[in-house]
Amino acid sequence: MEFILELIIDIILEGTIQIGTSRKVPVGFRILAIAILTFVYVGFVVMLATFAVNLWKDGSIGGAVVVGVIDLVVAVFIIWGVRKKIKEHKQGTL
């Protein structure tokens, strides 16, 4: 699972960061690409958190804990991927 998440994050983040940091792309496009990426990831994390809360309210505490842990893992991978790409970009390896 770690490999699949890392691959997805690498592909999406690398493409968006390339668009977002390329001087050849107009500024409006760059801002739009980064905003869309941000909204998608934040929306996914919020969706999982909402699902966990609804499970908790329905009495499925075990399911809520599982979904909450998955949500936490996804959020950590997203933060890790963004930090990794920013660090690579600052070093000029992109």
Side-chain angles (χ1 to χ4, degrees):
M1 181 170 171
E2 179 182 339
F3 174 74
I4 294 171
L5 283 175
E6 184 176 348
L7 183 65
I8 291 171
I9 289 173
D10 279 347
I11 291 171
I12 295 173
L13 279 177
E14 191 169 325
T16 304
I17 290 177
Q18 285 289 341
I19 291 172
T21 58
S22 175
R23 300 243 184 236
K24 295 178 182 178
V25 178
V27 174
F29 243 22
R30 290 187 283 178
I31 292 171
L32 182 63
I34 293 173
I36 288 172
L37 180 70
T38 303
F39 288 136
V40 167
Y41 279 132
V42 169
F44 184 67
V45 170
V46 168
M47 179 189 67
L48 283 175
T50 303
F51 186 58
V53 168
N54 286 337
L55 283 173
W56 187 280
K57 286 181 180 179
D58 290 341
S60 178
I61 296 173
V65 170
V66 169
V67 173
V69 168
I70 291 171
D71 186 34
L72 184 63
V73 168
V74 169
V76 167
F77 270 111
I78 291 170
I79 292 169
W80 173 75
V82 168
R83 289 188 55 161
K84 178 181 168 187
K85 290 299 176 185
I86 289 172
K87 191 180 279 188
E88 286 177 3
H89 180 69
K90 285 183 179 180
Q91 293 174 355
T93 59
L94 267 181

